[in-house]
Amino acid sequence: MALTILKVGKFDMLPELEAQLKERGSYYVDNALSESERAEVRARTDIVVASGGSQFKAPDFDSCPNLRAIVCFSVGYDGIDIPSAIAHNVFVTHTPNVLNDDVANTALMLLLNCTREAKAAHDYIERGAWGKEPALPLTTSIGGKKLGIAGLGRIGKEIAARAAAFKMEIGYYGRHQQADVSYRYFGSLQELATWCDVLLLAMPASPDNFHCVDRTILTALGPQGYLVNIARGSIVNTADLIWALDHQIIAGAGLDVFEQEPGVPEGLQHRSNVSLLPHQGSATKETRQAMANLVIANLDAILQGKEVLTPVPGTRKI
Ligand code: 8YV
């Protein structure tokens, strides 16, 4: 029987990955199907291809009784109901490590863009202001400043290494202190926010950290402090962030991720101290290709009965 492969969630599928999926089975896009087509296709779906923003919950598992695997074209899998996957003996794979460098580079790009107000400087040139209007206001140096990383995992460590090269002092918060890490540890997000000049979010999203960056944390970060988020929009209470920017509770922000993607609230836009990216962390040709290769390597391992390369922790390996 030919394989049925279903893309779930709105994300940009790499054409090379789509072509390789089509070589392995009949390929469907969930949100392009009518309700009746969707029910019919889901009833015979073997493989779901998902991404960081895809949602796949208990009723979705029920609608796909033949599902063997969910292969994620992303490191994040916060929209997937992992306990249901385990209960249904479904493989779930993701793409860790291959995107660490580009996501860490994006974090530093946002950090420099917002502290040095790169957008305002670019606009100044483009409107012909250089030499005509007063010079731009002086900006903020990151050298010697304290970077507080919330979530010192694979990506957080790459960010720390880069920030150390920019002469920043590093501290981190996570559930546990890491024995092999010499950076200063903080036992709570609030203590980290109080200590640091830049609060950088690099942890996976979970129900536990929904909106954990709120008025209290932003107030602790303070009027000289910057927030950088390359993790997930759900971690930050957006209304509180807009309030903090409106009232100079913090100095600025660099954001790659948002609560309702695609889309950025007006209240975050058109500010010289806020740098915005439309979820570009892993969006280079090289990294997306490496992610696609890992998706296919995992899928082929599943189809050949071999151990998967990068299972989501706790899920089926063979
Ligand atoms: C992209 C990401 O959103 O890997 C993740 O978790 O958020 C990003 O790499 C995306 O999943 C690529 O399709």
Side-chain angles (χ1 to χ4, degrees):
M1 273 278 280
L3 214 58
T4 298
I5 303 174
L6 182 65
K7 174 189 183 239
V8 173
K10 277 192 190 164
F11 60 95
D12 289 328
M13 173 61 84
L14 197 70
E16 292 83 345
L17 175 57
E18 189 174 86
Q20 283 182 291
L21 293 169
K22 285 179 175 167
E23 281 168 19
R24 284 160 179 77
S26 311
Y27 175 78
Y28 300 88
V29 175
D30 195 62
N31 52 26
L33 299 172
S34 69
E35 217 168 298
S36 59
E37 286 168 339
R38 182 176 303 126
E40 186 274 315
V41 169
R42 283 186 172 223
R44 59 184 164 89
T45 289
D46 303 284
I47 308 291
V48 160
V49 187
S51 185
S54 304
Q55 301 290 316
F56 206 82
K57 305 295 186 196
D60 298 299
F61 282 90
D62 294 338
S63 67
C64 299
N66 293 317
L67 188 63
R68 291 169 62 189
I70 301 173
V71 288
C72 296
F73 181 47
S74 58
V75 65
Y77 47 84
D78 41 289
I80 314 285
D81 181 348
I82 299 300
S84 285
I86 294 169
H88 287 85
N89 206 25
V90 166
F91 292 94
V92 189
T93 68
H94 66 144
T95 62
N97 295 318
V98 294
L99 42 60
N100 294 353
D101 285 338
D102 273 322
V103 177
N105 291 347
T106 303
L108 269 294
M109 172 165 68
L110 285 170
L111 170 54
L112 286 167
N113 278 354
C114 66
T115 54
R116 298 304 306 268
E117 303 196 3
K119 182 181 177 295
H122 189 107
D123 292 348
Y124 182 81
I125 289 185
E126 290 190 343
R127 70 168 184 270
W130 199 9
K132 297 193 185 76
E133 291 181 19
L136 287 165
L138 297 180
T139 59
T140 303
S141 177
I142 60 168
K145 298 282 163 56
K146 298 186 182 92
L147 176 68
I149 301 178
L152 195 71
R154 292 174 287 248
I155 294 172
K157 284 180 178 147
E158 289 295 341
I159 293 169
R162 284 159 175 74
F166 282 93
K167 303 179 182 165
M168 297 189 84
E169 195 183 333
I170 318 286
Y172 72 102
Y173 156 71
R175 265 170 299 180
H176 311 287
Q177 183 162 10
Q178 300 185 37
D180 54 346
V181 165
S182 60
Y183 308 128
R184 186 164 167 182
Y185 176 72
F186 293 85
S188 75
L189 187 58
Q190 188 163 351
E191 286 169 78
L192 183 75
T194 305
W195 172 80
C196 70
D197 300 297
V198 177
L199 180 61
L200 198 147
L201 308 178
M203 69 274 238
S206 72
D208 295 343
N209 62 31
F210 178 75
H211 279 190
C212 72
V213 175
D214 56 9
R215 284 186 181 218
T216 307
I217 298 298
L218 295 165
T219 303
L221 183 56
Q224 311 300 324
Y226 289 83
L227 176 73
V228 176
N229 189 4
I230 50 88
R232 283 289 182 266
S234 63
I235 298 170
V236 176
N237 181 322
T238 307
D240 287 2
L241 176 58
I242 294 170
W243 164 83
L245 291 164
D246 281 346
H247 296 89
Q248 290 84 48
I249 304 295
I250 64 169
L255 308 168
D256 185 42
V257 288
F258 303 90
E259 284 201 69
Q260 304 294 334
E261 295 182 11
V264 178
E266 188 64 28
L268 292 174
Q269 299 186 33
H270 311 292
R271 296 179 186 266
S272 60
N273 56 343
V274 176
S275 179
L276 303 170
L277 294 175
H279 204 143
Q280 295 290 289
S282 67
T284 64
K285 295 192 254 330
E286 295 83 354
T287 288
R288 286 284 165 84
Q289 187 59 57
M291 291 164 68
N293 294 346
L294 194 46
V295 168
I296 292 297
N298 276 310
L299 175 57
D300 285 349
I302 292 163
L303 299 180
Q304 292 160 17
K306 295 183 184 153
E307 189 167 328
V308 291
L309 283 81
T310 49
V312 162
T315 61
R316 190 171 168 190
K317 294 192 176 86
I318 187 153

